[in-house]
Amino acid sequence: MAGEQLNVLNALDVAKTQWYHFTAIVIAGMGFFTDAYDLFCISLVTKLLGRIYYYKEGSTSPGSLPSNVSAAVNGVAFCGTLAGQLFFGWLGDKMGRKRVYGMTLMLMVISAIASGLSFGKAPTAVMSTLCFFRFWLGFGIGGDYPLSATIMSEYANKKTRGAFIAAVFAMQGFGILAGGMVAIIVSGAFKVKYPAQPYENDPVGSTVPEADYVWRIILMFGAIPAAVTYYWRMKMPETARYTALVAKNAKQAASDMAKVLQVDLEAENDKIEQSVGNDFGLFSMEFVRRHGLHLLGTTSSWFLLDIAFYSLNLFQKDIFSAIGWIPQGQTLNAIEEVYRIARAQTLIALCTTVPGYWFTVALIDVIGRFAIQLMGFFFMTVFMFALAIPYHHWTLPDNRIGFVIMYSLTFFFSNFGPNSTTFVVPAEIFPARLRSTCHGISAASGKAGAIVGAFGFLYAKDGIGVRNTLLVVGGINFFGMIFTLLVPESKGKSLEEMSGEAEEENQSHQTTSV
């Protein structure tokens, strides 16, 4: 029986690309659309929060969030995400992918709405409740990482599996784009309805009372795509690989996939026998021997990538202000500043972030995961050093457009590079019963890097300056290139080949035959 159980899995591996593949991409991808929207939209409104809640009478510059508050507001969702990745990754292997999938989405919907309803009159009360709800928002988002990647990898055929998983992740680009566009529309509408003088002309009047609605509407909008997706997520069957290899019910797996693939699959009546040597746990020496270096490769490369990626993405507005691409705050009113920041970030997303993701989707099954990740880290290193070493040159008015182009290319090669591949590979190379857990560990390592980036960049740019911070980020990208050498290539191979389960099943079958 050990050999026969591969019938349903083989059917999935060789299946032609069908409508259900695209349905699965959209259903899983809308989670990432919401994830990216919720995680990045906070960077659009932090300056507005500073103006509303931390205005100092008589100051020549608008109010701004204190460093510790800014770090908390930007970073607390990442702390929740890290915890959610570990918890829901483990739970996805214990309870099944489908049963946990709906929990994460509902948590995201409730927390996104609650974030916009953050209450209290004192600044500390509003910021505390905002941080509390954004932690739980992050916790739900964290669960989406291992579950979406694992579900898509286990549904896909081996020929185009990389493109399908990358397409789910690429929905992040549209989420970032949507965050910017919603902020542009909301701030644009309020700007027309409630005109105000720049801060330098009227410090108090430059922030109209209605500006408090702007950031709340922007944050709450993230609940809509998640709520819309919930029904379809609940209709998805459990993946065949979980049902067959973990739950040991090949008959149910064949029945579920026969409906999905719309083909007749042989009903395998017996429960699958436990394979010899295929019961090692995450903390066993056997796992360390077989997959230890792989897990080190996926965790370290994702950790280093996210330090660079999130620090640069969250603090685009500071870099653009420093080089003069966004006017100084005192020359704008509060809502106008949100509009300008959103417009700049949307332009970056539209021109570089979104295309980078889809270059990966198009080429990942052609040139492979390893080559894309190595190339991405290499060009990120090159562009960071090219920005940092002659930094003064880029701050001159005539050279600012060149700075923005170079900075944008760094985003392009992070998305057509390690930001996509670090998500794809952990969903392909570990055994089915540990796949969601190992992806969660890898993703949590990445979020630990994001926390370092979110908190570290904030203090680094004040302490050592933007130039030296960019040099450090360049060095981090170089080490990411080194740790990529530990990551195996999974292009064109089945999940069972990559995890070693196919070999184990064959050995077990030979043993039972003898």
Side-chain angles (χ1 to χ4, degrees):
M1 185 64 215
E4 293 171 19
Q5 67 89 15
L6 292 174
N7 289 350
V8 63
L9 307 187
N10 185 59
L12 280 168
D13 279 338
V14 301
K16 293 180 180 177
T17 300
Q18 298 177 35
W19 181 247
Y20 88 90
H21 285 120
F22 296 106
T23 306
I25 288 171
V26 172
I27 293 169
M30 283 311 290
F32 272 90
F33 178 97
T34 307
D35 298 349
Y37 181 96
D38 287 329
L39 286 178
F40 288 107
C41 69
I42 195 67
S43 68
L44 299 171
V45 299
T46 46
K47 287 203 173 186
L48 178 60
L49 290 171
R51 283 187 183 240
I52 295 170
Y53 294 106
Y54 291 90
Y55 166 70
K56 292 179 182 175
E57 192 172 347
S59 174
T60 56
S61 58
S64 61
L65 296 179
S67 291
N68 60 332
V69 175
S70 179
V73 168
N74 281 302
V76 71
F78 295 137
C79 298
T81 304
L82 189 156
Q85 286 163 336
L86 293 173
F87 176 72
F88 287 115
W90 168 80
L91 204 62
D93 283 334
K94 294 297 177 187
M95 291 177 58
R97 289 48 160 141
K98 179 191 174 179
R99 288 176 69 185
V100 182
Y101 214 22
M103 298 180 201
T104 62
L105 210 60
M106 284 314 297
L107 192 55
M108 287 158 60
V109 171
I110 294 166
S111 301
I113 294 170
S115 294
L117 298 175
S118 297
F119 47 83
K121 290 186 177 179
T124 49
V126 176
M127 294 302 125
S128 297
T129 51
L130 176 61
C131 288
F132 174 81
F133 291 127
R134 284 191 63 78
F135 174 87
W136 290 107
L137 173 66
F139 194 70
I141 287 172
D144 228 51
Y145 275 74
L147 292 169
S148 289
T150 301
I151 285 170
M152 198 64 242
S153 73
E154 293 181 346
Y155 264 110
N157 60 54
K158 64 183 180 182
K159 184 179 178 183
T160 55
R161 186 180 62 238
F164 289 158
I165 305 172
V168 169
F169 195 64
M171 294 296 282
Q172 269 201 343
F174 291 126
I176 296 170
L177 197 61
M181 291 174 71
V182 168
I184 287 171
I185 292 167
V186 173
S187 60
F190 272 77
K191 190 173 65 164
V192 172
K193 181 72 174 174
Y194 304 105
Q197 291 291 313
Y199 181 87
E200 58 189 4
N201 295 350
D202 184 0
V204 176
S206 66
T207 306
V208 296
E210 291 78 10
D212 196 49
Y213 292 114
V214 172
W215 69 270
R216 295 177 185 275
I217 293 169
I218 292 170
L219 295 187
M220 291 170 72
F221 188 86
I224 295 174
V228 169
T229 313
Y230 182 78
Y231 171 76
W232 285 280
R233 278 204 179 181
M234 291 299 92
K235 288 191 70 176
M236 290 178 78
E238 182 57 85
T239 71
R241 284 183 162 89
Y242 182 86
T243 306
L245 298 176
V246 184
K248 307 294 181 187
N249 189 344
K251 181 180 178 181
Q252 185 63 48
S255 173
D256 288 343
M257 290 307 105
K259 294 173 188 172
V260 168
L261 295 169
Q262 297 180 329
V263 296
D264 291 326
L265 288 172
E266 181 186 346
E268 297 157 306
N269 298 317
D270 301 325
K271 295 243 179 165
I272 301 169
E273 297 168 7
Q274 181 68 38
S275 302
V276 177
N278 192 24
D279 56 353
F280 58 85
L282 181 66
F283 299 105
S284 66
M285 287 306 297
E286 185 67 12
F287 178 86
V288 173
R289 184 181 70 82
R290 296 190 187 197
H291 301 291
L293 283 178
H294 297 163
L295 189 59
L296 176 62
T298 59
T299 52
S300 55
S301 55
W302 206 338
F303 174 78
L304 294 166
L305 176 273
D306 272 10
I307 293 177
F309 182 78
Y310 279 92
S311 62
L312 293 177
N313 221 328
L314 277 172
F315 299 100
Q316 282 183 34
K317 61 188 183 303
D318 297 306
I319 291 174
F320 290 155
S321 293
I323 64 163
W325 213 47
I326 295 175
Q328 293 300 310
Q330 58 265 32
T331 65
L332 305 169
N333 66 49
I335 296 175
E336 175 71 22
E337 188 173 40
V338 174
Y339 181 84
R340 295 289 189 99
I341 294 168
R343 192 176 64 179
Q345 292 196 194
T346 304
L347 187 63
I348 293 292
L350 189 61
C351 296
T352 60
T353 306
V354 173
Y357 282 119
W358 291 98
F359 264 76
T360 301
V361 173
L363 296 173
I364 192 168
D365 288 311
V366 178
I367 63 179
R369 291 79 162 138
F370 179 82
I372 288 177
Q373 184 162 315
L374 200 65
M375 173 200 68
F377 269 128
F378 172 77
F379 281 111
M380 287 172 72
T381 306
V382 169
F383 285 122
M384 275 297 102
F385 284 136
L387 286 173
I389 293 170
Y391 180 69
H392 177 70
H393 167 80
W394 297 115
T395 59
L396 300 175
D398 292 342
N399 303 321
R400 285 171 181 167
I401 296 299
F403 181 97
V404 172
I405 291 170
M406 297 273 281
Y407 183 78
S408 301
L409 283 170
T410 307
F411 275 114
F412 175 81
F413 281 106
S414 67
N415 294 314
F416 179 38
N419 194 39
S420 297
T421 55
T422 51
F423 177 78
V424 173
V425 173
E428 299 181 308
I429 64 177
F430 298 108
R433 70 190 177 285
L434 298 172
R435 186 170 291 134
S436 180
T437 302
C438 289
H439 194 286
I441 292 169
S442 302
S445 177
K447 277 300 165 286
I451 292 166
V452 171
F455 287 80
F457 188 93
L458 190 71
Y459 292 105
K461 73 181 180 65
D462 293 335
I464 61 175
V466 175
R467 178 182 182 273
N468 290 331
T469 304
L470 293 175
L471 283 171
V472 170
V473 172
I476 288 167
N477 291 331
F478 175 77
F479 281 106
M481 200 163 41
I482 302 299
F483 279 100
T484 295
L485 301 176
L486 299 174
V487 178
E489 178 57 71
S490 50
K491 180 181 73 144
K493 297 179 181 177
S494 75
L495 296 178
E496 288 67 44
E497 285 178 84
M498 286 307 302
S499 65
E501 287 166 302
E503 177 188 334
E504 292 158 358
E505 294 296 346
N506 290 335
Q507 288 174 355
S508 176
H509 186 50
Q510 290 166 9
T511 303
T512 53
S513 298
V514 173

XYZ file of all heavy atoms in Angstrom, residues 441-480:
278
model
N 8.530 28.476 10.690
C 9.813 28.813 11.330
C 10.633 29.721 10.411
O 11.213 30.728 10.846
C 10.599 27.534 11.676
C 9.885 26.764 12.796
C 12.034 27.864 12.098
C 10.430 25.369 13.032
N 10.690 29.381 9.129
C 11.443 30.196 8.164
C 10.857 31.601 8.062
O 11.586 32.598 8.080
C 11.434 29.521 6.781
O 11.981 28.227 6.833
N 9.513 31.667 7.970
C 8.846 32.969 7.861
C 9.027 33.788 9.139
O 9.223 35.006 9.089
C 7.357 32.775 7.563
N 8.971 33.111 10.308
C 9.161 33.810 11.587
C 10.574 34.372 11.688
O 10.784 35.469 12.228
C 8.885 32.865 12.757
N 11.533 33.637 11.148
C 12.902 34.149 11.100
C 12.960 35.417 10.254
O 13.633 36.397 10.603
C 13.838 33.079 10.518
O 15.153 33.562 10.403
N 12.208 35.397 9.140
C 12.126 36.601 8.309
C 11.512 37.767 9.061
O 12.007 38.892 8.988
N 10.445 37.492 9.811
C 9.812 38.580 10.554
C 10.708 39.086 11.683
O 10.632 40.255 12.061
C 8.456 38.133 11.109
C 7.350 38.248 10.087
C 7.181 39.697 9.617
C 6.344 39.786 8.358
N 7.022 39.359 7.144
N 11.545 38.209 12.240
C 12.538 38.683 13.214
C 13.461 39.695 12.532
O 13.819 40.730 13.117
C 13.335 37.508 13.774
N 13.803 39.421 11.275
C 14.594 40.379 10.495
C 13.829 41.659 10.238
O 14.392 42.760 10.285
N 12.515 41.527 9.980
C 11.686 42.717 9.762
C 11.632 43.587 11.012
O 11.650 44.814 10.935
C 10.269 42.300 9.359
N 11.577 42.931 12.185
C 11.570 43.685 13.450
C 12.898 44.417 13.631
O 12.929 45.593 14.019
C 11.297 42.736 14.637
C 9.853 42.201 14.560
C 11.519 43.436 15.976
C 9.579 41.026 15.457
N 13.992 43.732 13.325
C 15.312 44.385 13.383
C 15.333 45.574 12.423
O 15.829 46.661 12.759
C 16.438 43.387 13.035
C 17.779 44.102 12.887
C 16.545 42.299 14.101
N 14.764 45.381 11.217
C 14.732 46.462 10.235
C 13.869 47.630 10.690
O 14.287 48.786 10.622
N 12.660 47.309 11.200
C 11.718 48.367 11.593
C 12.235 49.169 12.773
O 12.159 50.394 12.795
C 10.355 47.757 11.923
N 12.795 48.462 13.782
C 13.295 49.150 14.973
C 14.698 49.694 14.725
O 15.027 50.806 15.124
C 13.306 48.202 16.178
C 11.937 47.901 16.723
C 11.122 46.955 16.116
C 11.446 48.563 17.841
C 9.859 46.669 16.611
C 10.177 48.281 18.345
C 9.379 47.340 17.721
N 15.517 48.895 14.057
C 16.929 49.248 13.868
C 17.126 50.430 12.946
O 17.922 51.324 13.240
N 16.391 50.454 11.822
C 16.561 51.548 10.865
C 16.185 52.877 11.506
O 16.835 53.894 11.270
C 15.687 51.292 9.632
C 15.925 52.257 8.493
C 16.823 51.963 7.492
C 15.253 53.470 8.434
C 17.043 52.837 6.438
C 15.464 54.357 7.394
C 16.366 54.036 6.392
N 15.146 52.849 12.328
C 14.673 54.065 12.984
C 15.777 54.711 13.815
O 16.021 55.918 13.739
C 13.473 53.717 13.875
C 12.700 54.887 14.464
C 11.913 55.600 13.369
C 11.750 54.404 15.550
N 16.474 53.861 14.601
C 17.531 54.389 15.460
C 18.831 54.606 14.687
O 19.588 55.537 14.982
C 17.768 53.431 16.637
C 16.593 53.393 17.593
C 15.724 52.314 17.618
C 16.326 54.459 18.460
C 14.631 52.288 18.478
C 15.233 54.442 19.322
C 14.390 53.346 19.328
O 13.314 53.329 20.174
N 19.078 53.752 13.668
C 20.321 53.861 12.901
C 20.388 55.169 12.126
O 21.419 55.847 12.117
C 20.460 52.667 11.957
N 19.276 55.549 11.472
C 19.328 56.774 10.660
C 19.517 58.017 11.532
O 20.104 59.002 11.101
C 18.091 56.899 9.773
C 16.796 57.267 10.474
C 15.650 57.328 9.482
C 14.340 57.685 10.168
N 14.306 59.023 10.744
N 19.011 57.950 12.797
C 19.233 59.067 13.722
C 20.632 59.017 14.333
O 21.245 60.045 14.597
C 18.187 59.035 14.847
C 16.773 59.324 14.331
O 16.662 59.989 13.280
O 15.807 58.870 14.970
N 21.140 57.784 14.540
C 22.421 57.622 15.222
C 23.630 57.703 14.300
O 24.589 58.420 14.582
N 23.571 56.941 13.174
C 24.747 56.896 12.283
C 24.480 57.537 10.926
O 25.375 57.598 10.082
C 25.240 55.444 12.089
C 24.146 54.580 11.442
C 25.683 54.833 13.416
C 24.603 53.156 11.098
N 23.248 58.001 10.693
C 22.924 58.695 9.445
C 22.454 57.741 8.360
O 22.700 56.534 8.423
N 21.789 58.297 7.360
C 21.224 57.483 6.276
C 22.317 56.785 5.481
O 22.204 55.609 5.130
C 20.345 58.352 5.344
C 19.864 57.545 4.139
C 19.142 58.908 6.105
N 23.420 57.491 5.202
C 24.491 56.908 4.379
C 25.054 55.638 5.006
O 25.165 54.591 4.354
C 25.612 57.929 4.185
C 26.781 57.387 3.370
C 27.903 58.422 3.232
N 28.983 57.916 2.409
C 30.002 57.196 2.863
N 30.072 56.899 4.168
N 30.947 56.762 2.058
N 25.428 55.716 6.274
C 26.005 54.551 6.944
C 24.976 53.421 7.110
O 25.322 52.241 7.056
C 26.572 54.941 8.313
C 27.821 55.792 8.191
O 28.558 55.674 7.216
N 28.061 56.672 9.159
N 23.717 53.818 7.280
C 22.664 52.805 7.369
C 22.550 52.039 6.057
O 22.411 50.806 6.046
C 21.311 53.455 7.717
O 21.452 54.198 8.927
C 20.225 52.408 7.884
N 22.614 52.746 4.944
C 22.566 52.086 3.636
C 23.771 51.173 3.426
O 23.654 50.102 2.811
C 22.491 53.128 2.516
C 21.201 53.959 2.441
C 21.325 55.034 1.368
C 19.994 53.079 2.164
N 24.942 51.559 3.937
C 26.126 50.690 3.857
C 25.902 49.391 4.628
O 26.264 48.304 4.157
C 27.358 51.418 4.414
C 28.008 52.474 3.508
C 29.074 53.244 4.279
C 28.627 51.818 2.270
N 25.313 49.513 5.816
C 25.023 48.316 6.630
C 24.048 47.402 5.888
O 24.233 46.180 5.833
C 24.441 48.721 8.007
C 23.920 47.497 8.759
C 25.493 49.444 8.838
N 23.001 47.982 5.302
C 22.014 47.195 4.555
C 22.679 46.480 3.374
O 22.377 45.313 3.080
C 20.851 48.090 4.078
C 19.920 47.327 3.144
C 20.062 48.614 5.271
N 23.605 47.158 2.705
C 24.350 46.527 1.614
C 25.142 45.317 2.088
O 25.167 44.269 1.425
N 25.783 45.439 3.240
C 26.527 44.313 3.821
C 25.614 43.149 4.166
O 25.964 41.977 3.960
N 24.431 43.456 4.686
C 23.442 42.416 5.025
C 23.030 41.659 3.766
O 22.923 40.420 3.765
C 22.221 43.049 5.722
C 22.609 43.491 7.136
C 21.044 42.079 5.760
C 21.584 44.401 7.796
N 22.816 42.378 2.672
C 22.455 41.729 1.408
C 23.560 40.795 0.927
O 23.285 39.720 0.376
C 22.175 42.785 0.328
C 20.905 43.563 0.597
O 19.971 43.061 1.209
N 20.871 44.807 0.155
N 24.816 41.188 1.137
C 25.939 40.331 0.732
C 25.919 39.008 1.499
O 26.112 37.930 0.916
C 27.269 41.064 0.965
C 28.484 40.202 0.689
C 28.879 39.964 -0.615
C 29.193 39.620 1.731
C 29.990 39.153 -0.886
C 30.299 38.818 1.479
C 30.697 38.584 0.167
N 25.680 39.071 2.798
C 25.614 37.828 3.582
C 24.415 36.972 3.173
O 24.457 35.742 3.248
C 25.573 38.142 5.078
C 26.908 38.487 5.655
C 27.229 39.801 5.989
C 27.873 37.504 5.841
C 28.475 40.122 6.502
C 29.120 37.816 6.355
C 29.429 39.130 6.691
N 23.331 37.617 2.737
C 22.200 36.859 2.206
C 22.603 36.027 1.006
O 22.154 34.882 0.843
